[in-house]
């Protein structure tokens, strides 16, 4: 079992789940809200808009989970194959691998003698771990975790989709289209700010960026929906 000796918590430790959560939540808000706005702009009834929203929530969450799992699982397979290849090379050519590690540390600024000593000690401690981290770039914080990514994406998408769903249930029909869009934009701003805060970035910049793209998507969907201009039973 590995232990961390760092007191401070670095933002990179959150990169895996934060990326999946932010992508899922923003996708849930933008895609489902845009879908709802487009259907509402076409003249559909509130019931039809509500059913469409629920269908978008379920299909979107399932799609996000499946897509994220497949994507991250592929990354995990690549990492696994690289580690197996490195393990074989360590068994067949240990001296060559030791020199590789030494040269890596020299390129990072260590003197050759010190680089040799560091490479030898790390190899004696855990050769595969040293090569995985310093040669391949695989660490505990960046390694692929498909199930966590899939679960995070599905939950985040569902949470994001709840904003338009609740809006439909609470807003009067005459304010439905504009109200859902407004709440969608505001929720995007909140999610963007939270994601930026969790990642240590500028809250305002992250919030405004996601709001702008959300507005573009919603307006485009509303325009497409308005072209039909027919009431749907």
């Amino acid at each position: 079992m590995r232990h961390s000796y760092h007191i401070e918590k670095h933002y990179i430790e959150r990169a895996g789940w934060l990326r999946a959560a932010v992508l899922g939540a923003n996708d849930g808000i933008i895609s489902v809200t845009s879908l709802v706005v487009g259907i509402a702009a076409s003249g559909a009834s509130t019931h039809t808009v509500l059913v469409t929203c629920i269908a978008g929530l379920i299909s979107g969450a399932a799609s996000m989970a499946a897509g994220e799992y497949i994507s991250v699982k592929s990354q995990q397979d690549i990492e696994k194959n690289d580690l197996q290849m490195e393990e074989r090379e360590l068994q067949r050519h240990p001296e060559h691998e030791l020199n590789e590690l030494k040269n890596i540390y020299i390129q990072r600024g260590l003197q050759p003698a010190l680089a040799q000593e560091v490479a030898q000690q790390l190899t004696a401690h855990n050769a595969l771990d040293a090569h995985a981290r310093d040669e391949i770039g695989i660490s505990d914080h960046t390694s692929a975790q498909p199930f966590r990514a899939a679960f995070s994406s599905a939950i985040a998408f569902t949470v994001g989709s709840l904003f338009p769903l609740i809006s439909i249930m609470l807003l009067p029909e005459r304010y439905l289209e504009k109200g859902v869009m407004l709440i969608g934009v505001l929720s995007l701003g909140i999610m963007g700010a939270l994601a930026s805060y969790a990642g240590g970035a500028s809250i305002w910049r992250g919030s405004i960026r996601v709001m702008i793209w959300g507005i573009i998507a919603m307006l485009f969907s509303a325009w497409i929906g308005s072209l039909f201009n027919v009431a749907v039973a």
Side-chain angles (χ1 to χ4, degrees):
M1 182 176 180
R2 296 177 183 176
H3 300 277
S4 175
Y5 299 98
H6 295 289
I7 298 176
E8 69 276 11
K9 294 292 184 180
H10 294 284
Y11 294 113
I12 191 63
E13 297 177 12
R14 309 171 182 173
W17 65 263
L18 182 60
R19 183 190 69 85
V22 170
L23 177 62
N26 287 341
D27 196 19
I29 296 172
I30 294 175
S31 61
V32 177
T33 300
S34 298
L35 176 64
V36 166
V37 169
I39 294 296
S42 72
S45 65
T46 301
H47 179 266
T48 301
V49 174
L50 179 61
V51 171
T52 301
C53 181
I54 295 173
L57 187 158
I58 295 172
S59 61
S63 176
M64 284 293 296
E68 193 70 16
Y69 176 83
I70 293 171
S71 174
V72 179
K73 182 61 177 176
S74 298
Q75 178 186 341
Q76 187 183 57
D77 291 340
I78 293 173
E79 292 177 356
K80 182 179 179 180
N81 290 334
D82 276 343
L83 289 175
Q84 289 175 345
M85 182 189 305
E86 195 64 32
E87 190 171 22
R88 288 194 300 268
E89 290 300 310
L90 284 168
Q91 293 173 354
R92 295 173 182 173
H93 311 289
E95 290 299 324
H96 175 73
E97 293 299 313
L98 180 64
N99 285 329
E100 275 189 347
L101 209 56
K102 170 188 171 182
N103 290 330
I104 289 172
Y105 298 140
I106 291 175
Q107 291 174 0
R108 292 182 180 178
L110 295 184
Q111 294 296 322
L114 180 57
Q116 177 72 21
E117 182 180 353
V118 171
Q120 288 175 338
Q121 290 193 19
L122 289 178
T123 298
H125 176 68
N126 191 326
L128 183 59
D129 184 67
H131 282 271
R133 181 183 60 251
D134 295 325
E135 181 182 348
I136 306 174
I138 300 174
S139 68
D140 291 339
H141 301 316
T142 60
S143 60
Q145 300 183 39
F147 282 108
R148 178 185 291 184
F151 181 76
S152 298
S153 295
I155 294 298
F157 186 96
T158 301
V159 171
S161 301
L162 290 178
F163 288 100
L165 179 62
I166 295 174
S167 302
I168 296 169
M169 298 172 66
L170 297 179
L171 290 171
E173 186 170 358
R174 59 178 176 172
Y175 299 126
L176 189 60
E177 181 184 344
K178 293 182 176 60
V180 170
M181 184 181 295
L182 177 61
I183 293 174
V185 172
L186 292 176
S187 59
L188 280 174
I190 294 172
M191 295 303 297
L194 290 175
S196 298
Y197 176 78
S202 169
I203 293 178
W204 288 107
R205 185 178 301 173
S207 180
I208 292 173
R209 179 173 57 231
V210 71
M211 287 172 68
I212 290 174
W213 283 106
I215 291 172
I216 293 173
M218 294 173 200
L219 289 177
F220 181 74
S221 298
W223 174 67
I224 294 295
S226 66
L227 295 179
F228 294 91
N229 196 28
V230 290
V232 181

